[in-house]
Amino acid sequence: MTGFRTLSSGLRELRPAAFGADPSGERLARIRRSPHFKDGVFQNPGGNTNVRPSGGTMGQMGKAYLDKEARARRAPDGTLPVHATTLADLAKRAATGLRLTWMGHSSVLAEIDGHRVLFDPVWGERCSPFPFAGPKRLHPVPLPLAALGPVDVVVVSHDHYDHLDMPTIKALADTDTLFAVPLGVGAHLEHWGVSADRLRELDWNEETKVGGLTLTATPARHFCGRGLRNTQHTLWASWVVAGDEHRIYHSGDTGYFEGFKDIGAAHGPFDATMIQIGAYSEFWPDIHMTPEEGMRAHLDLQGGQPHGVLLPIHWGTFNLALHPWAEPGEWTAYEGEAAGQAVVTPRPGEPFEPGGDPVTDPWWRPFGGTIDQHWRTPKPVGTEPNPAATPAELDLANER
């Protein structure tokens, strides 16, 4: 009827901007042509995986979330330290040609062979579509976004709120940086003001050139979605960045899978890997890694032998899982010692060069409370490691 809006158009107007936008037009047509898109959704390597708890575990999961003693261990005792990074610190050229600065969670500034790459930048106070609800930071951002200086390319692994933050993207949209994203994710960025000519939108195993760097989107085992309907129309990816002298790898979010060996064979070995080792749980198999699996992934990427350094990411910034907040750092340090592999554990905001002196201070210990080091218990022969799992970011997914 003339003069009346449809219900669906009214609901679209009420949709929060942080939900982003669904792919359409040629972007959607390209998605449908992808060899990784089947039966109306993107598929994981080896087929799709379960991203929600089974009915038999719902009660157990609820009990674990509400346990008072366990909840106390999921937050630090006191204010977490951050390194007071300054623009002057970052303006100095890396002596070795490669410098990494972990900003917390999965956000990393990589300075590689004269270029600057910013992975999964999240400067927001909460990883949520709403400013008043959702997981809140356990530490402040180490420095203002504007203090980073110019960035050549922003790399996004997938569209979950703890990896793709609308206020951060909007701030970066006012700069000259390019954006490298998986298929479909560009729809969100355009919705938030990034022009199409600054987007490099890739399927798995596609690459793009930015200056002297080659960026390759590589497979990962995860899922996607931001809005009320999880249409699985945006891809998730890990990323390889190769310069003239150095190679680095960022895992994004992923469960362990055999494909790490293929990525390593095609693109490795790496001077540094940034590996997701937090927000694991036995309640969601396949889409996040324990530190044990993260170490296995790193070694796979390096051809089966210790090489380069492993920077643990996806921990210490947001409370997204049932495990103690500091457990991923402690467990990963243990796995590094057991494997003879260099693991670096900088404070958020602390620049380091993988080719320089190692940064191994266990800064979390005064704030971590008691950690039951269950990983030190010998496992029976033939026992597989605990399945990896999703973080509490799936609480948001349940709203979609």
Side-chain angles (χ1 to χ4, degrees):
M1 295 175 59
T2 304
F4 289 88
R5 294 182 303 168
T6 65
L7 177 61
S8 60
S9 66
L11 290 175
R12 280 196 296 271
E13 290 184 11
L14 294 174
R15 172 181 172 131
F19 280 5
D22 295 328
S24 61
E26 175 53 32
R27 176 176 280 116
L28 182 57
R30 186 182 170 203
I31 286 169
R32 288 171 173 164
R33 293 193 299 268
S34 169
H36 310 111
F37 192 78
K38 181 181 178 182
D39 298 329
V41 297
F42 277 113
Q43 303 285 321
N44 271 303
N48 265 341
T49 56
N50 179 29
V51 299
R52 299 183 189 275
S54 66
T57 63
M58 287 294 290
Q60 297 172 356
M61 184 185 69
K63 182 178 179 180
Y65 265 108
L66 295 174
D67 182 86
K68 185 176 181 180
E69 184 176 338
R71 288 180 67 183
R73 293 195 295 269
R74 296 202 292 269
D77 300 328
T79 302
L80 294 184
V82 296
H83 182 83
T85 311
T86 66
L87 180 60
D89 293 332
L90 298 177
K92 301 173 185 175
R93 291 187 65 87
T96 62
L98 177 62
R99 181 167 59 205
L100 302 178
T101 307
W102 179 51
M103 299 296 178
H105 203 58
S106 296
S107 303
V108 182
L109 175 66
E111 299 166 272
I112 173 172
D113 299 338
H115 298 82
R116 307 178 93 230
V117 182
L118 184 58
F119 291 96
D120 283 356
V122 174
W123 256 251
E125 186 66 16
R126 297 181 185 271
C127 51
S128 167
F130 309 109
F132 53 84
K136 191 175 182 180
R137 284 183 167 273
L138 302 179
H139 64 79
V141 292
L143 76 167
L145 188 62
L148 283 181
V151 172
D152 295 294
V153 58
V154 172
V155 176
V156 176
S157 64
H158 64 297
D159 69 0
H160 284 156
Y161 290 95
D162 57 323
H163 297 260
L164 180 61
D165 179 56
M166 181 188 70
T168 305
I169 297 299
K170 281 190 168 185
L172 290 166
D174 292 333
T175 69
D176 294 328
T177 188
L178 301 176
F179 294 82
V181 302
L183 272 183
V185 175
H188 299 313
L189 273 62
E190 285 192 52
H191 187 62
W192 299 331
V194 178
S195 60
D197 62 347
R198 290 165 59 196
L199 291 173
R200 305 291 184 266
E201 203 161 342
L202 306 183
D203 201 348
W204 288 343
N205 302 314
E206 291 182 342
E207 65 180 38
T208 188
K209 301 281 188 179
V210 176
L213 301 179
T214 300
L215 289 78
T216 307
T218 45
R221 191 177 173 96
H222 200 56
F223 72 113
C224 66
R226 292 177 73 86
L228 294 174
R229 296 182 302 113
N230 186 357
T231 60
Q232 296 293 89
H233 276 58
T234 63
L235 188 59
W236 48 94
S238 57
W239 288 88
V240 170
V241 178
D244 293 335
E245 300 292 336
H246 296 92
R247 290 173 175 265
I248 57 177
Y249 172 85
H250 189 283
S251 71
D253 279 0
T254 181
Y256 178 82
F257 68 113
E258 291 294 322
F260 290 115
K261 297 175 183 176
D262 298 328
I263 295 170
H267 302 284
F270 299 97
D271 297 283
T273 67
M274 295 155 272
I275 301 289
Q276 171 264 305
I277 49 81
Y280 43 85
S281 167
E282 62 187 10
F283 294 112
W284 291 280
D286 303 329
I287 56 175
H288 273 251
M289 292 189 291
T290 65
E292 181 180 24
E293 291 167 318
M295 179 58 66
R296 196 191 320 168
H298 171 89
L299 295 175
D300 286 351
L301 290 162
Q302 306 290 32
Q305 298 295 325
H307 183 80
V309 302
L310 187 161
L311 171 63
I313 61 173
H314 204 271
W315 75 286
T317 301
F318 298 107
N319 181 359
L320 298 177
L322 293 167
H323 58 68
W325 79 270
E327 184 178 277
E330 195 73 34
W331 190 352
T332 306
Y334 167 81
E335 293 294 338
E337 292 175 4
Q341 169 61 51
V343 172
V344 288
T345 53
R347 289 171 173 79
E350 183 177 3
F352 73 95
E353 301 194 26
D357 294 332
V359 181
T360 58
D361 178 30
W363 56 268
W364 59 88
R365 286 181 181 168
F367 308 91
T370 303
I371 298 176
D372 177 15
Q373 299 188 9
H374 54 84
W375 54 86
R376 293 181 180 270
T377 303
K379 300 177 179 66
V381 175
T383 299
E384 293 298 319
N386 289 335
T390 184
E393 69 188 9
L394 285 180
D395 288 351
L396 296 173
N398 292 332
E399 300 173 8
R400 300 168 190 153

